Amino acid sequence: MIKRLFLLAVGVSAAMLLLVSCKQKQSQPEQSSRKIAVVISTLNNPWFVVLGNTAKERAEQLGYQAVIFDSQNDTAKELDHFESIIAGGYAAILFNPTDADASIQNVRRAKAVGIPTFCIDREINANDVAAAQVLSDNYSGAVEIGQYFVKKMNKKGKYVELLGILGDNNTWNRSKGFHSVVDNYQQLEMVAQETALFDRTKAEEVLGTILQAHKDVDAVFCGNDAMAMGAYRALVAAGKADSVLVFGFDGAKDVIDSIRDGKIAATGMQFPKRMARMAAEQADEYIKGKRDFEQKVPVAVELVTQENIAKYTAYGRESEQ
Amino acid sequence: MKKALKYTAAVAIAALLLYSGIYFEDLSQVRQLRQQKTFDPSSYARDFWDNQLAGILDKAVDVEELIELFNTNMAEAVKRYGKAPGVSRVYAYLVTGEGQIVAVGEDGLLVSVRDPADNPDAFVTTGLYVPGNAVRDASGLVDVSKFSDTMKFNEISREINKIVVEEVIRPFMNRGPKVGVTVKFYGATQVAQDATEEHFFGELLSNDGTEKEFQLVTIVPIRLELKEP
């Protein structure tokens, strides 16, 4: 009887060890791999196209073969990409996450098989999974926009806020930075706050509907430039483009051009090219052996207005192009 | 043979039962989850203000010296005293000094810290709210990498700014500061590294006696007191 029990215990232990090791052991990336994956949340927005292309170009300049994956703002697609990347033996991932929480597991999965991930622009809500994260300092940028908004509105008036994707930290960092200033002025009244998913067409639809109920809006604060352009189109359709101030966030080409043309009041210049280059260079350093990266590196967002537009170009400053 | 099959089946079932009842979690993941659930920006800001910030105020640079350095050698000012949490053209500075109040406005005091005493060079914020990250960043004490998400990092600023308004600005304004009186301060300022490309800091008359355009160093106060005559 004792012998049987002993045999059983040995058998169970062996089976468990086998199961655990099967679960943990996955394919390791080839040490000599020269492939870098660039995973972007969506390529349906020119700003992210610039982010992805710049990351790819910089990785190629550094001697790697780089491939762009489009997650189409879908965490399931993003997961598929990570599985392909892991199976494909990539050396590193330059990653613009779709969701600050849901994307963590993908980064963790890559880390488990030794593939480092470098987040760009958007963060994941973890500080020990990615190798490093180069992030837009959205909150501080939105504080600056808020201060300029108050000045242009002369501390009073009605406004609409168009939010981005609700699961993205950038949406809330921008909104909270803006409100940390604007909410201190009682005569500035937010008549509507709706999500338009960072999407131009959606923003046009959403603001069009809002304008039917609120005909006396003085300004629209948009969580990104795509929505600012959509909002501007809705205002043109409603015959209000000259009387309503539009504020964006990104520094995309069409909004920079529109600020220059006096159509959009201001935006927050993020630096997609700068961030993408930094992430690609970090990946290169990692592959060459460096490990001590700052986990989170905020990149300042700068206020671009009709007064200082001469210093800026699409996606950056005139001086760094 | 039958026995062998029986044992194999028993082992497989027992292993499956045990395995499904046991799961492995990354300890750091558990800790991070706990931090996310328990993080209180208000308590963090209180500890920062009471126990950390007070201990580094002796490192504050004299604002008069800093203004001279901004106007003559910005790169040196950044190198010696500037702090930024990441990549930025804007640096934060912990400052101290005293000066004569030139004007009392709705949002702040115009203060002259250099001679002649009626030309302003600083704007000390004393309005109903304080925006931004000047105090947090000038301290250099809060590391963004320690936080699982940057919203927490930003919430700390919001709470610090509340303390500034409630415990520094409001009591000071209740004392009724007046033009001509000297104010002593510790504070934080943020200045872009190309800020002097167009205008220098502080009003000073040119040699021919005409006024030149100038800008002010905006200071978020950490300590404010009126100097008795």
Side-chain angles (χ1 to χ4, degrees), chain A residues 4 8 11-12 15-16 19 23 108 123-128 135 139-140 143 147 155 169 173 176 180-181 184-185 278 294-300 302 312 317, chain B residues 3 7 10-11 14-15 18-19 22 24 26 28-29 32 36 85-89 106-107 129 131-133 144-151 154-155 158 194 198:
Chain A
R4 279 182 192 173
L8 188 69
V12 167
M16 281 194 66
L19 278 166
K23 195 180 180 190
R108 203 179 290 283
E123 70 180 329
I124 53 168
N125 288 339
N127 55 5
D128 61 349
L135 312 166
Y139 183 87
S140 306
V143 166
Q147 289 174 299
K155 301 181 182 176
N169 284 14
N173 278 331
K176 287 180 180 177
S180 76
V181 177
N184 293 288
Y185 297 86
M278 279 176 69
E294 286 290 328
Q295 174 58 214
K296 298 203 177 188
V297 181
V299 175
E302 297 178 12
Y312 294 90
R317 279 175 79 87
Chain B
K3 269 187 182 176
Y7 284 139
V11 165
L18 274 169
Y19 182 65
I22 297 170
F24 297 89
D26 189 338
S28 60
Q29 200 178 345
Q32 204 146 293
Q36 277 175 10
V87 178
S88 179
R89 288 186 310 110
E106 189 185 344
D107 298 323
Y129 79 101
N133 307 313
V144 62
S145 291
K146 297 274 190 293
F147 298 89
S148 57
D149 71 84
T150 48
M151 201 57 238
N154 296 325
E155 283 168 351
R158 185 193 66 203
D194 56 358
E198 289 173 19

Side-chain angles (χ1 to χ4, degrees), chain A residues 148-173:
Chain A
Y148 187 70
F149 180 94
V150 169
K151 189 176 154 193
K152 293 295 280 184
M153 294 284 281
N154 206 14
K155 301 181 182 176
K156 59 176 186 262
K158 294 181 178 178
Y159 71 94
V160 172
E161 181 183 8
L162 296 183
L163 296 164
I165 295 168
L166 302 182
D168 178 19
N169 284 14
N170 287 356
T171 296
W172 297 110
N173 278 331

